[in-house]
Amino acid sequence: EYDSLVKDLKTAGIISGAAILLLMLLYFKNIRSVFFVAVPLSCGIIWNFAVAELFIGHLNMTTAFLFSILFGLGIDFGILLNSRYIEERFNGASFEDSIYQMLAHAGRSSLIAGATTSAAFLVLVINDFKGFSEFGFIAGIGIMLTLLAYVLILPVIFACEEKIPMFRRRHFKTAGWHLDKIARIGGKRVMFGGLAILAVSVIAAALFVRFDYNFENFRSPDDDIELAKELSQRVNPQKAVPSVILVHSKQDAEDARSAIEKVRDSNPNTLIHSAKNVYSLVPKGQEEKLPIMEKIGRLLEDDVIDKLVKGEDKEKIEGLKASAYASPFGLKDIPDKIKKRFLHAEAGEQNQLVYIFVDPEVDLKDGRLAMSLANEIREIKGSNGGKYHAISSSVIFADVLSVMLKDSWKA
């Protein structure tokens, strides 16, 4: 997944950067203007992520794509400022007057546009969900830093062009696409009608947009991952990682297991399948079951079975014979490799885990199922008046998703 994310970041950056630069080349019709716009933009983005490193220190899956987003948003300033400078020079203004007009007029408009866009992003900082708040901070600061880079660097580039003879332009040609013909197609009524239909269609489509809770759909398709998952499920059909409760005594371990089973039995729509602690590894009533096991063993000693059963089935029969004459065992007889999954290596029964298993077919990558399970097990009341709190990656995922959905309205 990490490799796929890095690959997608590189792909998105290359494609978006190449597409934007190509459009600028078609707009300005010369490589020089593309270079003049790209240099300050690159500096602004570098400054932005330097600030992000200073105040946040990392990128997440949401903010990692801000390279492409800021590239697309920040380049607007460069196009406006560069176009205004070229227009002034085309109309015969001096270098100094062109720089002044560029900053005084196009610069002022860019400042207002940048401030409003930046403010819209910075509002996200109030959200508890880090994906939104960090995205808002980096994007909001990035917009203003990109504008600052253009204001500081673009006049210097134009000055170098003007003062160095080999780079000085002799003729200025205004850039742009002649789109005024589109406005004359069919007249104003047709244009207004088309825009109205487009607006209604967009609003109608927005009403049918739904949040996809199944995060399995967000994963990149990978044949190796799918094969590994299939082989893993053959060995362990459990799709979800179990949740755990930390307790500090045998009494609490048994009470927690009973409380979990009570929650399961009281909810017809429960996702809980079972609860296990280290003591559940020791079967109850072993002495009462021994005579039954011995009787099964005698039946398996019948010569008829030896004659009729062959191959793998005979191996299974031999295994059953050995189990039929097993002796009672206790907690001390369980291998340490198994017990250490429940008990702390040093503290022993003073720090132990109670596991909560969901139904094997339940996939908790579906956010609705994860939140449903979290609501069931987040706080479990025991019979002794205590409260037990379960934790797992699924519970954390559910909490993050709940915060994200709550903060999406603020965003």
Side-chain angles (χ1 to χ4, degrees):
E1 292 300 319
Y2 173 79
D3 292 340
S4 176
L5 175 62
V6 172
K7 180 182 177 181
D8 289 346
L9 284 172
K10 292 179 180 178
T11 303
I14 293 172
I15 293 176
S16 63
I20 292 171
L21 293 176
L22 177 61
L23 287 173
M24 283 203 305
L25 183 60
L26 294 175
Y27 179 80
F28 288 111
K29 298 181 178 63
N30 65 82
I31 297 178
R32 179 180 300 209
S33 293
V34 175
F35 175 77
F36 288 173
V37 171
V39 170
L41 176 62
S42 301
C43 292
I45 292 176
I46 292 172
W47 296 351
N48 179 42
F49 285 99
V51 171
E53 167 65 23
L54 181 63
F55 287 95
I56 298 177
H58 62 266
L59 297 177
N60 55 45
M61 291 185 65
T62 306
T63 57
F65 286 92
L66 276 172
F67 286 98
S68 300
I69 295 173
L70 288 175
F71 197 93
L73 291 175
I75 206 165
D76 292 346
F77 304 135
I79 294 173
L80 291 173
L81 294 170
N82 190 62
S83 297
R84 184 58 186 261
Y85 174 79
I86 293 174
E87 182 182 347
E88 293 295 329
R89 296 303 303 269
F90 176 78
N91 291 329
S94 65
F95 167 73
E96 292 79 5
D97 289 340
S98 298
I99 293 294
Y100 173 79
Q101 293 296 329
M102 177 189 75
L103 296 177
H105 297 286
R108 185 185 304 169
S109 302
S110 297
L111 177 61
I112 295 172
T116 54
T117 304
S118 178
F121 281 121
L122 288 173
V123 168
L124 298 176
V125 174
I126 65 175
N127 291 310
D128 296 325
F129 180 56
K130 291 294 185 182
F132 289 157
S133 61
E134 292 178 1
F135 181 92
F137 176 82
I138 298 175
I141 298 298
I143 292 293
M144 299 310 295
L145 285 176
T146 303
L147 177 57
L148 179 63
Y150 275 115
V151 171
L152 295 178
I153 298 175
L154 198 56
V156 175
I157 294 177
F158 288 146
C160 292
E161 178 193 42
E162 183 69 16
K163 300 301 180 182
I164 300 175
M166 63 181 298
F167 294 135
R168 186 180 301 162
R169 266 188 278 192
R170 294 177 176 81
H171 304 286
F172 287 88
K173 183 179 180 181
T174 57
W177 294 326
H178 300 288
L179 303 178
D180 55 316
K181 296 180 181 179
I182 297 177
R184 295 197 294 268
I185 298 176
K188 294 182 179 179
R189 292 184 178 180
V190 174
M191 288 291 293
F192 179 79
L195 291 174
I197 293 173
L198 179 62
V200 171
S201 301
V202 170
I203 294 172
L207 297 175
F208 293 96
V209 175
R210 296 292 181 268
F211 183 80
D212 189 355
Y213 284 88
N214 192 351
F215 278 62
E216 182 70 17
N217 296 332
F218 300 162
R219 302 181 67 175
S220 58
D222 190 298
D223 294 337
D224 292 335
I225 293 177
E226 293 301 321
L227 178 60
K229 192 189 322 181
E230 180 183 346
L231 295 174
S232 175
Q233 288 178 357
R234 290 180 185 177
V235 178
N236 178 20
Q238 193 84 26
K239 291 184 177 180
V241 176
S243 303
V244 296
I245 296 174
L246 176 64
V247 295
H248 305 289
S249 67
K250 178 179 180 180
Q251 180 183 357
D252 287 342
E254 294 287 30
D255 183 56
R257 185 167 69 91
S258 299
I260 294 165
E261 292 173 348
K262 185 177 180 181
V263 171
R264 177 196 63 190
D265 297 338
S266 63
N267 182 6
N269 299 317
T270 185
L271 299 176
I272 300 173
H273 180 269
S274 60
K276 301 289 184 183
N277 57 31
V278 69
Y279 310 105
S280 59
L281 300 176
V282 180
K284 296 181 179 179
Q286 295 184 59
E287 294 294 341
E288 293 81 0
K289 296 174 183 177
L290 285 178
I292 300 174
M293 296 294 295
E294 291 175 0
K295 183 177 180 180
I296 293 173
R298 288 194 297 271
L299 292 173
L300 294 174
E301 295 290 347
D302 195 318
D303 294 337
V304 176
I305 294 178
D306 289 335
K307 294 177 181 179
L308 296 178
V309 180
K310 304 293 183 181
E312 293 183 1
D313 291 335
K314 188 169 184 179
E315 293 180 4
K316 295 178 181 178
I317 293 294
E318 294 298 326
L320 286 174
K321 287 181 182 179
S323 300
Y325 297 106
S327 303
F329 66 94
L331 185 62
K332 66 180 187 304
D333 301 312
I334 296 176
D336 291 337
K337 179 184 287 189
I338 297 176
K339 285 195 293 187
K340 74 177 182 179
R341 296 181 180 273
F342 295 88
L343 304 178
H344 190 274
E346 298 177 0
E349 296 183 54
Q350 292 182 355
N351 284 325
Q352 55 180 297
L353 298 176
V354 179
Y355 287 87
I356 304 173
F357 295 91
V358 299
D359 287 325
E361 293 301 316
V362 173
D363 191 348
L364 294 179
K365 293 184 183 68
D366 188 323
R368 286 168 295 193
L369 296 178
M371 288 190 290
S372 176
L373 176 67
N375 290 334
E376 275 195 283
I377 66 176
R378 185 178 285 110
E379 184 176 283
I380 301 171
K381 295 181 180 179
S383 60
N384 57 7
K387 293 181 180 180
Y388 305 104
H389 302 275
I391 189 64
S392 67
S393 58
S394 301
V395 174
I396 296 173
F397 167 55
D399 290 342
V400 171
L401 184 56
S402 297
V403 172
M404 184 182 71
L405 292 173
K406 182 185 71 175
D407 285 349
S408 63
W409 296 101
K410 299 178 187 178

